[in-house]
């Protein structure tokens, strides 16, 4: 098993998953690449950052990304997010444009989304690691088996969660979610390749309305 710090609630609900053979093989693959000198992002201590910042029982919203950014200093374990001091990538710039249109929130000069995670927005990538400069290079080593189990665990053991599925890849995960007890909002991917189709979805105001309908605090989407 990977030697990582993991929030206690997640560690409990995923305990059986960590014991499975595929997860051990996945862990060995990542470790072997790192020990052989291959640069892997994010740094080891941040691979499970989304889990540590958003405890299982505090999760209210799930945003699903595909795999980590593959440039130096970009990936820190939260989908779409980059640390302060790193230029915001195009997709998250478009997220901020939609936020500005939807809720009037000024577009920030950074794209660190930790403040969302700390409020219960689980920023999960389907693949948790990547080789430097090689997008989707770890997409076939077992991570999706793990993160599919994560989504199913949330679906089974929680209720009233709001899943934001942006783009065709994220939408394929809809069948893992019990839509009789959770909310699913779908839209085009925020990438510029979507040619603006992401804009106008108003997912942020819709999410807050759904939270307030359940008596939960809305998300302060400012970063």
């Amino acid at each position: 098993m990977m030697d990582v710090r993991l929030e206690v609630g997640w560690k409990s609900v995923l305990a059986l998953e960590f014991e499975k053979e595929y997860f051990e093989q996945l862990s060995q693959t990542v470790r072997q690449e790192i020990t052989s000198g291959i640069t892997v992002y994010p740094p080891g201590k941040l691979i499970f950052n989304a889990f540590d910042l958003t405890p299982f029982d505090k999760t209210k919203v799930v945003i699903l990304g595909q795999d980590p950014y593959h440039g130096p200093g970009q990936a820190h374990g939260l989908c779409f997010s980059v640390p302060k001091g790193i230029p915001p990538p195009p997709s998250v710039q478009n997220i901020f444009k939609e936020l500005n249109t939807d809720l009037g929130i000024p577009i920030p000069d950074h794209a660190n989304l930790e403040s969302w995670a700390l409020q219960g927005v689980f920023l999960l990538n389907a693949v948790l690691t990547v080789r430097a400069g090689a997008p989707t290079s770890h997409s076939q080593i077992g991570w999706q088996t793990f993160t599919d189990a994560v989504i199913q665990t949330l679906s089974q053991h929680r209720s009233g969660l709001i899943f934001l599925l942006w783009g065709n890849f994220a939408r394929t995960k809809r069948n893992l979610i019990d839509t009789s007890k959770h909310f699913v909002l779908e839209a085009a991917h925020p990438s510029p390749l979507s040619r603006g189709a992401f804009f106008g979805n108003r997912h942020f105001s819709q999410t807050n309305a759904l939270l307030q309908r359940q008596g939960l605090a809305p998300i302060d989407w400012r970063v």
Side-chain angles (χ1 to χ4, degrees):
M1 182 173 138
M2 279 187 175
D3 182 23
V4 295
R5 175 179 61 90
L6 193 64
E7 187 273 328
V8 62
W10 282 113
K11 200 164 193 172
S12 174
V13 296
L14 296 173
L16 293 177
E17 213 63 30
F18 291 131
E19 294 175 6
K20 292 181 179 178
E21 184 178 351
Y22 87 86
F23 195 88
E24 180 58 34
Q25 293 175 343
L26 160 63
S27 303
Q28 288 180 1
T29 298
V30 174
R31 277 198 301 264
Q32 286 169 357
E33 289 200 4
I34 293 171
T35 55
S36 69
I38 295 171
T39 299
V40 172
Y41 297 133
K45 65 181 180 180
L46 295 177
I47 290 173
F48 292 97
N49 197 24
F51 299 80
D52 288 328
L53 293 182
T54 310
F56 178 75
D57 62 352
K58 302 294 186 189
T59 298
K60 301 194 290 188
V61 181
V62 180
I63 299 179
L64 188 68
Q66 191 158 357
D67 74 330
Y69 296 121
H70 54 87
Q74 291 182 306
H76 66 146
L78 306 176
C79 72
F80 295 108
S81 179
V82 293
K84 287 183 179 179
I86 301 293
S91 290
V92 76
Q93 289 182 36
N94 283 341
I95 291 171
F96 289 148
K97 289 176 184 176
E98 176 61 21
L99 261 173
N100 179 254
T101 302
D102 188 9
L103 292 170
I105 292 174
I107 295 175
D109 61 0
H110 71 91
N112 187 329
L113 306 181
E114 287 181 358
S115 64
W116 295 4
L118 293 170
Q119 295 177 78
V121 181
F122 185 44
L123 297 168
L124 178 67
N125 273 317
V127 177
L128 297 188
T129 57
V130 69
R131 284 187 212 125
T136 72
S137 50
H138 282 179
S139 64
Q140 303 299 322
I141 66 171
W143 278 127
Q144 291 193 60
T145 302
F146 174 70
T147 55
D148 282 358
V150 170
I151 295 167
Q152 289 174 309
T153 299
L154 281 166
S155 177
Q156 182 178 351
H157 296 289
R158 298 291 313 279
S159 61
L161 300 180
I162 301 146
F163 290 84
L164 305 184
L165 305 183
W166 296 337
N168 292 335
F169 174 81
R171 284 169 159 169
T172 66
K173 306 299 182 178
R174 184 187 176 102
N175 66 340
L176 303 174
I177 302 162
D178 182 351
T179 55
S180 71
K181 64 174 185 171
H182 299 285
F183 305 96
V184 176
L185 302 180
E186 298 184 38
H189 196 278
S191 164
L193 298 175
S194 297
R195 300 180 185 277
F198 175 76
F199 298 126
N201 63 63
R202 302 187 70 85
H203 278 186
F204 304 101
S205 58
Q206 288 187 62
T207 293
N208 280 351
L210 290 168
L211 289 171
Q212 289 174 301
R213 189 193 302 176
Q214 300 178 76
L216 300 172
I219 305 299
D220 181 354
W221 296 104
R222 296 172 297 178
V223 300

